[in-house]
Amino acid sequence: MMNKVDDYIFEVPMGHQKGMLVPGRIFISEKLLEQVEPGTIDQVANVATLPGIVNYSMAMPDAHLGYGFPIGGVAAFREEGGVISPGGVGFDINCGVRMLRTDLRAKDVVPMISNLVEDLFHDVPSGVGAKGRLRVSEHELDEAFTRGAAWAVEAGFGVDEDLEHCEENGQIEGAKTDHVSLKARKRGRPQLGTLGSGNHFLEIQRVDKIFDERLAERFGLFEGQVTVMIHCGSRGAGHQICTDHLQVLSKAVRKYGIDLPDKQLACAPLGTPEAENYFGAMAAAANYAWANRQIISAWTREVFERYFADARLDLVYDVAHNVAKVEEHSVDGSKERLYVHRKGATRAFGPGRPEIPEAYREVGQPVLIPGSMGTPSYVLCGSEGAMRLTFGSACHGAGRIMSRTQAKKTYAGTEVKDVLSRRGIKVMATSPKMLAEEAPEVYKPSDEVVDVVHHLDIARKVARVVPLGVTKG
């Protein structure tokens, strides 16, 4: 049983799960709440039992069942007495989204959309186990793990301005490559510059609607403009790093006498070797993901330049999902350093935070919420409401309401492609099965999810963009 706090906040009481240290809070509408599995609510309660948790265990409006934490889960832990948990980060570490804005208008790009999508599908490898065009040395792989997007820019994949518009400037400090296994290195080395599979995509879009002219101008967006959104993460490297350290932290739970309601919440007390080693390896995977998106951006620019010689593709912003980061937040009127876990959630810092690029600091950071092939994506702006309610966090997408297995039974990939084609959306994927798994109907409506964070003043709507062409793994 949950308690309704207001129209968009529902509370999971401390009695829901034995050992809860704080209540749970789900930021959601009543309509969307009807689609949330009971297991997701249980996971919110389970997270609330972890040592050192601050204020609430939280879930965003796109929440659904995940490993350990729900996808869409957010929790912050004190340095003293808190923990770090891979279940609160996820397997695809720093699965994130970046948006590039062009100076092109849709009316000029639509006639070339088939060519652009076909070239992007060819030039940016995608799919399960896909191998990239790059052949990096072990030293270069170390550079990607430790320096992230900065290494990619120095290697010729972009410009310095790109780094200014990346969360954390495209690099989390403290990466430890000596805690990245040989298997993780072997999986990650051939995959730099690849898109991956599942809900990952490279999408050419049109700015369909501007909600806030002042913020849109600050972000460089206008109606009819062509943008590009890239959604991918740390590939096999991140997955293997998570797998490796889950084994270590499962033993740490017993070593440090932590009582868990779910073994998927394996964790270690902050300050212990197990926690520090996982954080260092997680940071390496996050940096790899930023390098990966940076390389894909460079190849995307090359494709556009073939058809539009003077086209500019400037980075609006790059946001990370699936990370735990050390941040300073206000708790009971005092500033504290916290380890904030965002599992399928987006940082949404409001105005004035020094972590935000100078170009946006006065208004708040861009928040990018992708749709799914045939549904709109949104650009929002982080707000003070997020700093008060969610440790500066917002939703990260629409959120699944149907499993991949059920989606394949319900939809035919060829039919999905035909429907999108009739709507003027060019789609290329590695297999029809993938299109069935990612049919727009298997996700919550992105506009309803975004409306929740907008109404709560967690992140304000700036622009809506719609797909023109999509490549998927």
Side-chain angles (χ1 to χ4, degrees):
M1 184 68 179
M2 289 196 296
N3 304 319
K4 184 175 180 179
V5 177
D6 76 9
D7 287 345
Y8 298 100
I9 303 176
F10 292 81
E11 189 162 291
V12 184
M14 290 178 64
H16 189 94
Q17 170 63 253
K18 181 182 177 182
M20 288 175 70
L21 302 173
V22 296
R25 282 206 164 177
I26 303 178
F27 303 93
I28 199 166
S29 67
E30 289 194 40
K31 182 179 179 181
L32 290 173
L33 186 59
E34 294 173 0
Q35 300 173 323
V36 174
E37 319 98 320
T40 301
I41 298 168
D42 292 340
Q43 287 188 324
V44 172
N46 290 343
V47 172
T49 70
L50 292 176
I53 189 169
V54 180
N55 290 354
Y56 302 98
S57 165
M58 294 174 281
M60 296 295 118
D62 54 340
H64 55 103
L65 206 62
Y67 182 95
F69 281 48
I71 296 170
V74 176
F77 299 89
R78 288 188 166 91
E79 281 190 299
E80 290 293 326
V83 296
I84 191 168
S85 172
V89 171
F91 284 90
D92 191 0
I93 297 165
N94 189 4
C95 168
V97 181
R98 65 170 43 193
M99 173 182 268
L100 300 164
R101 63 174 180 252
T102 77
D103 53 358
L104 303 169
R105 293 186 176 273
K107 62 182 179 64
D108 300 316
V109 173
V110 166
M112 306 302 299
I113 198 69
S114 291
N115 303 71
L116 287 165
V117 171
E118 288 167 9
D119 282 12
L120 287 170
F121 189 71
H122 176 268
D123 287 12
V124 181
S126 59
V128 177
K131 295 183 179 180
R133 294 159 48 186
L134 289 181
R135 294 295 178 265
V136 297
S137 67
E138 286 297 312
H139 172 71
E140 288 171 321
L141 182 60
D142 276 337
E143 288 285 286
F145 279 137
T146 55
R147 300 181 57 233
W151 165 78
V153 168
E154 286 187 13
F157 299 101
V159 293
D160 289 340
E161 288 77 11
D162 292 338
L163 305 180
E164 296 172 18
H165 288 181
C166 276
E167 186 172 325
E168 301 295 329
N169 299 118
Q171 176 196 16
I172 294 180
E173 298 285 349
K176 293 185 175 182
T177 57
D178 49 337
H179 291 284
V180 175
S181 69
L182 180 60
K183 189 171 183 180
R185 297 177 70 90
K186 284 184 175 179
R187 292 183 68 181
R189 186 176 172 185
Q191 291 187 328
L192 270 174
T194 64
L195 196 59
S197 60
N199 62 344
H200 295 160
F201 63 76
L202 200 169
E203 184 171 286
I204 303 172
Q205 307 162 323
R206 170 176 59 85
V207 177
D208 173 59
K209 184 174 182 178
I210 297 294
F211 298 98
D212 189 310
E213 290 286 353
R214 182 180 70 93
L215 292 175
E217 185 177 356
R218 183 64 66 99
F219 294 169
L221 302 175
F222 57 87
E223 280 193 18
Q225 179 183 22
V226 169
T227 59
V228 177
M229 196 172 272
I230 298 166
H231 180 201
C232 64
S234 51
R235 306 292 282 113
H239 195 284
Q240 191 62 48
I241 284 168
C242 181
T243 300
D244 293 340
H245 285 268
L246 271 172
Q247 296 174 3
V248 175
L249 270 66
S250 294
K251 296 175 183 176
V253 169
R254 297 190 294 271
K255 177 180 174 181
Y256 296 108
I258 301 171
D259 187 21
L260 296 177
D262 181 358
K263 65 180 181 180
Q264 293 183 357
L265 292 174
C267 57
L270 292 166
T272 63
E274 294 90 343
E276 292 183 358
N277 294 342
Y278 167 67
F279 183 86
M282 181 213 67
N287 294 340
Y288 175 103
W290 272 309
N292 190 34
R293 291 197 289 275
Q294 187 63 45
I295 293 164
I296 291 172
S297 297
W299 290 339
T300 299
R301 285 164 170 157
E302 288 178 3
V303 168
F304 268 79
E305 286 167 3
R306 288 176 202 157
Y307 299 94
F308 306 95
D310 299 324
R312 286 180 56 87
L313 277 77
D314 296 325
L315 183 59
V316 176
Y317 205 54
D318 180 303
V319 297
H321 314 141
N322 295 8
V323 290
K325 295 198 303 188
V326 184
E327 298 172 355
E328 188 178 84
H329 289 276
S330 179
V331 181
D332 298 327
S334 300
K335 297 290 186 183
E336 288 194 40
R337 276 166 51 91
L338 304 175
Y339 278 72
V340 182
H341 293 57
R342 296 189 181 95
K343 164 81 166 289
T346 305
R347 195 185 76 178
F349 279 1
R353 290 286 301 215
E355 298 94 334
I356 301 174
E358 188 174 347
Y360 307 140
R361 196 169 299 158
E362 182 185 353
V363 297
Q365 75 164 78
V367 176
L368 308 175
I369 310 296
S372 177
M373 290 194 294
T375 59
S377 298
Y378 285 82
V379 181
L380 298 90
C381 184
S383 179
E384 280 297 330
M387 310 315 295
R388 293 192 305 270
L389 292 173
T390 62
F391 296 108
S393 308
C395 53
H396 88 308
R400 293 189 76 92
I401 55 174
M402 186 184 294
S403 71
R404 298 184 189 282
T405 300
Q406 185 60 41
K408 285 185 286 188
K409 292 179 180 178
T410 307
Y411 301 103
T414 51
E415 182 182 342
V416 171
K417 186 173 183 178
D418 288 345
V419 169
L420 293 172
S421 179
R422 289 196 293 271
R423 292 173 51 194
I425 303 169
K426 169 75 174 180
V427 176
M428 294 192 71
T430 51
S431 71
K433 179 182 72 173
M434 182 58 62
L435 292 177
E437 290 179 2
E438 295 298 315
E441 293 80 7
V442 309
Y443 287 90
K444 299 172 185 176
S446 54
D447 54 350
E448 293 181 21
V449 171
V450 165
D451 280 346
V452 173
V453 295
H454 178 78
H455 284 302
L456 286 170
D457 196 33
I458 288 172
R460 299 174 184 175
K461 291 193 287 189
V462 178
R464 181 177 68 206
V465 298
V466 293
L468 299 173
V470 190
T471 74
K472 293 188 72 71

